[in-house]
Amino acid sequence: MSVETGTSAGTGTEVAAGVRSAGASGRRGIGVVPAPVLMLIGMVSTQLGAAFAKQLFGTVGPATVTLMRLGFSALVLLLWWRPSLRLDRRTAGAVAALGVAIAGMNICFYLAMARMPVGVALTVGMAGPLAVAGLSSRRAGDRLWIVLAALGIALLGWQGGAAGLTGLLIALACAVFWGSYVPLSARVGALLPGGGGLALAMAFGTLCSLPAGIAEGAQTLVRPEVLAFGFGVAMLSSLVPYTCEMETLRRVSALVFGVLLSLEPAIGALVALAVLQETLSPAQVAGLIAVVVASIGVIRGSRKAPASVPSPTLPKGTQQP
């Protein structure tokens, strides 16, 4: 993945320097924005990306959208962080595992989203990190929150028919990948501090999604309007929320950040209503509320955990589907 010599090398260096300079300027500019507002901007941006991605499904399929989102995101992050490709076997294995998790949760999220409302797919997927957080705690009360979340998911998935069941199963697969993302991202972050590990994992995830994405929509990937739309989805889904969350985490505690992040399913449902005119049944609204309440309950419970017990928290939303 090295840059070619000559003119190409100079261009790559200038682009990378420009991206880093823009990132630094952006951080200074957003410093005056209140942290909760930044978090809201990031979450709305993520869900706008999901809604626009669903609009693409009439032209390209979920696998191709996944390929474009991961590919463009990886390109920007690699230019931003410029990580070294010299990894030992342990680090390379952790990066590869994280890449598989990122690719799996994204393609499963988009496949589920094609069969059910965005808010439902997102809320079911969120059960993965919620389960990891609750089950890693020794507090009995956190298990009760998991039960509440399971009841909420049952309400969300109760649509009847094969399509509803298929969508629910795919969303649960997304939850598994998203849940595995939690410990894997922590491991990669410990081995490669900063965003370099994420950039490399995103690149590996792109390679994992390449065969399915090309097989599904190779002919559409040469159309400039499709690529432009895919780039927009990638920036809305990754770069904007990533920037907002990084700045938010500098100013607020993990508890506050986690509680704010727990509101994302509700924001996703509202954005889908505004952009896609997707409505939820009363039972699905009740299920969404149950999962949000359970998520907040687990996070708030982490504040009461003994010092010797790792506090269960939901992961950063950077790579949220």
Side-chain angles (χ1 to χ4, degrees), residues 11-31:
T11 302
T13 302
E14 292 168 3
V15 170
V19 170
R20 289 195 296 271
S21 177
S25 300
R27 285 193 293 272
R28 288 193 295 269
I30 65 178

PDB file of all heavy atoms in Angstrom, residues 11-31:
ATOM      1  N   THR A  11       1.990  14.045  -4.638  1.00  0.00           N
ATOM      2  CA  THR A  11       0.563  14.314  -4.518  1.00  0.00           C
ATOM      3  C   THR A  11      -0.008  13.675  -3.268  1.00  0.00           C
ATOM      4  O   THR A  11      -0.780  14.279  -2.527  1.00  0.00           O
ATOM      5  CB  THR A  11      -0.186  13.795  -5.763  1.00  0.00           C
ATOM      6  OG1 THR A  11       0.368  14.417  -6.911  1.00  0.00           O
ATOM      7  CG2 THR A  11      -1.665  14.097  -5.676  1.00  0.00           C
ATOM      8  N   GLY A  12       0.370  12.420  -3.000  1.00  0.00           N
ATOM      9  CA  GLY A  12      -0.139  11.717  -1.822  1.00  0.00           C
ATOM     10  C   GLY A  12       0.270  12.420  -0.541  1.00  0.00           C
ATOM     11  O   GLY A  12      -0.532  12.555   0.385  1.00  0.00           O
ATOM     12  N   THR A  13       1.515  12.889  -0.498  1.00  0.00           N
ATOM     13  CA  THR A  13       1.983  13.579   0.696  1.00  0.00           C
ATOM     14  C   THR A  13       1.229  14.879   0.908  1.00  0.00           C
ATOM     15  O   THR A  13       0.842  15.221   2.027  1.00  0.00           O
ATOM     16  CB  THR A  13       3.489  13.878   0.573  1.00  0.00           C
ATOM     17  OG1 THR A  13       4.180  12.650   0.372  1.00  0.00           O
ATOM     18  CG2 THR A  13       4.013  14.557   1.826  1.00  0.00           C
ATOM     19  N   GLU A  14       0.988  15.615  -0.201  1.00  0.00           N
ATOM     20  CA  GLU A  14       0.269  16.873  -0.083  1.00  0.00           C
ATOM     21  C   GLU A  14      -1.166  16.659   0.367  1.00  0.00           C
ATOM     22  O   GLU A  14      -1.694  17.412   1.181  1.00  0.00           O
ATOM     23  CB  GLU A  14       0.300  17.612  -1.422  1.00  0.00           C
ATOM     24  CG  GLU A  14       1.703  18.111  -1.793  1.00  0.00           C
ATOM     25  CD  GLU A  14       1.764  18.575  -3.231  1.00  0.00           C
ATOM     26  OE1 GLU A  14       0.708  18.563  -3.897  1.00  0.00           O
ATOM     27  OE2 GLU A  14       2.853  18.952  -3.690  1.00  0.00           O
ATOM     28  N   VAL A  15      -1.818  15.617  -0.186  1.00  0.00           N
ATOM     29  CA  VAL A  15      -3.197  15.335   0.211  1.00  0.00           C
ATOM     30  C   VAL A  15      -3.265  14.968   1.690  1.00  0.00           C
ATOM     31  O   VAL A  15      -4.118  15.448   2.439  1.00  0.00           O
ATOM     32  CB  VAL A  15      -3.787  14.205  -0.648  1.00  0.00           C
ATOM     33  CG1 VAL A  15      -5.123  13.745  -0.086  1.00  0.00           C
ATOM     34  CG2 VAL A  15      -3.960  14.670  -2.088  1.00  0.00           C
ATOM     35  N   ALA A  16      -2.337  14.097   2.134  1.00  0.00           N
ATOM     36  CA  ALA A  16      -2.328  13.696   3.540  1.00  0.00           C
ATOM     37  C   ALA A  16      -2.100  14.895   4.452  1.00  0.00           C
ATOM     38  O   ALA A  16      -2.759  15.046   5.479  1.00  0.00           O
ATOM     39  CB  ALA A  16      -1.231  12.641   3.771  1.00  0.00           C
ATOM     40  N   ALA A  17      -1.150  15.762   4.063  1.00  0.00           N
ATOM     41  CA  ALA A  17      -0.888  16.949   4.875  1.00  0.00           C
ATOM     42  C   ALA A  17      -2.111  17.854   4.912  1.00  0.00           C
ATOM     43  O   ALA A  17      -2.458  18.421   5.938  1.00  0.00           O
ATOM     44  CB  ALA A  17       0.314  17.718   4.312  1.00  0.00           C
ATOM     45  N   GLY A  18      -2.791  17.956   3.766  1.00  0.00           N
ATOM     46  CA  GLY A  18      -3.994  18.773   3.718  1.00  0.00           C
ATOM     47  C   GLY A  18      -5.085  18.231   4.604  1.00  0.00           C
ATOM     48  O   GLY A  18      -5.792  18.979   5.284  1.00  0.00           O
ATOM     49  N   VAL A  19      -5.261  16.896   4.599  1.00  0.00           N
ATOM     50  CA  VAL A  19      -6.281  16.275   5.439  1.00  0.00           C
ATOM     51  C   VAL A  19      -5.979  16.506   6.908  1.00  0.00           C
ATOM     52  O   VAL A  19      -6.860  16.864   7.699  1.00  0.00           O
ATOM     53  CB  VAL A  19      -6.383  14.760   5.133  1.00  0.00           C
ATOM     54  CG1 VAL A  19      -7.261  14.073   6.162  1.00  0.00           C
ATOM     55  CG2 VAL A  19      -6.932  14.544   3.727  1.00  0.00           C
ATOM     56  N   ARG A  20      -4.705  16.314   7.310  1.00  0.00           N
ATOM     57  CA  ARG A  20      -4.339  16.528   8.715  1.00  0.00           C
ATOM     58  C   ARG A  20      -4.511  17.998   9.107  1.00  0.00           C
ATOM     59  O   ARG A  20      -4.963  18.318  10.207  1.00  0.00           O
ATOM     60  CB  ARG A  20      -2.896  16.066   8.954  1.00  0.00           C
ATOM     61  CG  ARG A  20      -2.717  14.564   8.919  1.00  0.00           C
ATOM     62  CD  ARG A  20      -1.372  14.187   9.521  1.00  0.00           C
ATOM     63  NE  ARG A  20      -0.276  14.713   8.732  1.00  0.00           N
ATOM     64  CZ  ARG A  20       0.285  14.081   7.708  1.00  0.00           C
ATOM     65  NH1 ARG A  20      -0.182  12.901   7.329  1.00  0.00           N
ATOM     66  NH2 ARG A  20       1.298  14.617   7.053  1.00  0.00           N
ATOM     67  N   SER A  21      -4.123  18.915   8.205  1.00  0.00           N
ATOM     68  CA  SER A  21      -4.283  20.333   8.492  1.00  0.00           C
ATOM     69  C   SER A  21      -5.740  20.713   8.636  1.00  0.00           C
ATOM     70  O   SER A  21      -6.129  21.444   9.544  1.00  0.00           O
ATOM     71  CB  SER A  21      -3.643  21.166   7.377  1.00  0.00           C
ATOM     72  OG  SER A  21      -3.853  22.536   7.591  1.00  0.00           O
ATOM     73  N   ALA A  22      -6.575  20.165   7.740  1.00  0.00           N
ATOM     74  CA  ALA A  22      -8.004  20.443   7.822  1.00  0.00           C
ATOM     75  C   ALA A  22      -8.586  19.883   9.110  1.00  0.00           C
ATOM     76  O   ALA A  22      -9.448  20.499   9.747  1.00  0.00           O
ATOM     77  CB  ALA A  22      -8.717  19.844   6.612  1.00  0.00           C
ATOM     78  N   GLY A  23      -8.092  18.688   9.516  1.00  0.00           N
ATOM     79  CA  GLY A  23      -8.587  18.090  10.750  1.00  0.00           C
ATOM     80  C   GLY A  23      -8.239  18.945  11.953  1.00  0.00           C
ATOM     81  O   GLY A  23      -9.062  19.155  12.845  1.00  0.00           O
ATOM     82  N   ALA A  24      -7.006  19.476  11.973  1.00  0.00           N
ATOM     83  CA  ALA A  24      -6.600  20.326  13.096  1.00  0.00           C
ATOM     84  C   ALA A  24      -7.411  21.616  13.129  1.00  0.00           C
ATOM     85  O   ALA A  24      -7.864  22.059  14.188  1.00  0.00           O
ATOM     86  CB  ALA A  24      -5.102  20.647  12.982  1.00  0.00           C
ATOM     87  N   SER A  25      -7.617  22.208  11.947  1.00  0.00           N
ATOM     88  CA  SER A  25      -8.410  23.433  11.893  1.00  0.00           C
ATOM     89  C   SER A  25      -9.840  23.167  12.320  1.00  0.00           C
ATOM     90  O   SER A  25     -10.466  23.971  13.019  1.00  0.00           O
ATOM     91  CB  SER A  25      -8.385  24.003  10.468  1.00  0.00           C
ATOM     92  OG  SER A  25      -7.066  24.309  10.072  1.00  0.00           O
ATOM     93  N   GLY A  26     -10.369  22.012  11.887  1.00  0.00           N
ATOM     94  CA  GLY A  26     -11.736  21.665  12.256  1.00  0.00           C
ATOM     95  C   GLY A  26     -11.889  21.497  13.748  1.00  0.00           C
ATOM     96  O   GLY A  26     -12.884  21.926  14.333  1.00  0.00           O
ATOM     97  N   ARG A  27     -10.894  20.868  14.397  1.00  0.00           N
ATOM     98  CA  ARG A  27     -10.968  20.675  15.845  1.00  0.00           C
ATOM     99  C   ARG A  27     -10.974  22.016  16.571  1.00  0.00           C
ATOM    100  O   ARG A  27     -11.652  22.191  17.571  1.00  0.00           O
ATOM    101  CB  ARG A  27      -9.795  19.803  16.316  1.00  0.00           C
ATOM    102  CG  ARG A  27      -9.968  18.328  15.980  1.00  0.00           C
ATOM    103  CD  ARG A  27      -8.956  17.490  16.735  1.00  0.00           C
ATOM    104  NE  ARG A  27      -7.609  17.739  16.299  1.00  0.00           N
ATOM    105  CZ  ARG A  27      -7.024  17.099  15.295  1.00  0.00           C
ATOM    106  NH1 ARG A  27      -7.691  16.203  14.602  1.00  0.00           N
ATOM    107  NH2 ARG A  27      -5.777  17.363  14.959  1.00  0.00           N
ATOM    108  N   ARG A  28     -10.183  22.985  16.048  1.00  0.00           N
ATOM    109  CA  ARG A  28     -10.191  24.299  16.677  1.00  0.00           C
ATOM    110  C   ARG A  28     -11.545  24.973  16.482  1.00  0.00           C
ATOM    111  O   ARG A  28     -12.055  25.651  17.367  1.00  0.00           O
ATOM    112  CB  ARG A  28      -9.066  25.163  16.090  1.00  0.00           C
ATOM    113  CG  ARG A  28      -7.667  24.747  16.534  1.00  0.00           C
ATOM    114  CD  ARG A  28      -6.662  25.818  16.182  1.00  0.00           C
ATOM    115  NE  ARG A  28      -6.537  25.995  14.733  1.00  0.00           N
ATOM    116  CZ  ARG A  28      -5.674  25.338  13.979  1.00  0.00           C
ATOM    117  NH1 ARG A  28      -4.859  24.450  14.526  1.00  0.00           N
ATOM    118  NH2 ARG A  28      -5.607  25.561  12.684  1.00  0.00           N
ATOM    119  N   GLY A  29     -12.144  24.789  15.289  1.00  0.00           N
ATOM    120  CA  GLY A  29     -13.404  25.434  14.998  1.00  0.00           C
ATOM    121  C   GLY A  29     -14.562  24.886  15.805  1.00  0.00           C
ATOM    122  O   GLY A  29     -15.428  25.644  16.247  1.00  0.00           O
ATOM    123  N   ILE A  30     -14.590  23.566  16.009  1.00  0.00           N
ATOM    124  CA  ILE A  30     -15.711  22.974  16.734  1.00  0.00           C
ATOM    125  C   ILE A  30     -15.530  23.067  18.241  1.00  0.00           C
ATOM    126  O   ILE A  30     -16.407  22.648  18.992  1.00  0.00           O
ATOM    127  CB  ILE A  30     -15.908  21.496  16.324  1.00  0.00           C
ATOM    128  CG1 ILE A  30     -14.698  20.657  16.746  1.00  0.00           C
ATOM    129  CG2 ILE A  30     -16.168  21.372  14.849  1.00  0.00           C
ATOM    130  CD1 ILE A  30     -14.851  19.188  16.422  1.00  0.00           C
ATOM    131  N   GLY A  31     -14.414  23.639  18.678  1.00  0.00           N
ATOM    132  CA  GLY A  31     -14.179  23.747  20.107  1.00  0.00           C
ATOM    133  C   GLY A  31     -15.190  24.630  20.819  1.00  0.00           C
ATOM    134  O   GLY A  31     -15.368  24.511  22.029  1.00  0.00           O
TER     135      GLY A  31
END
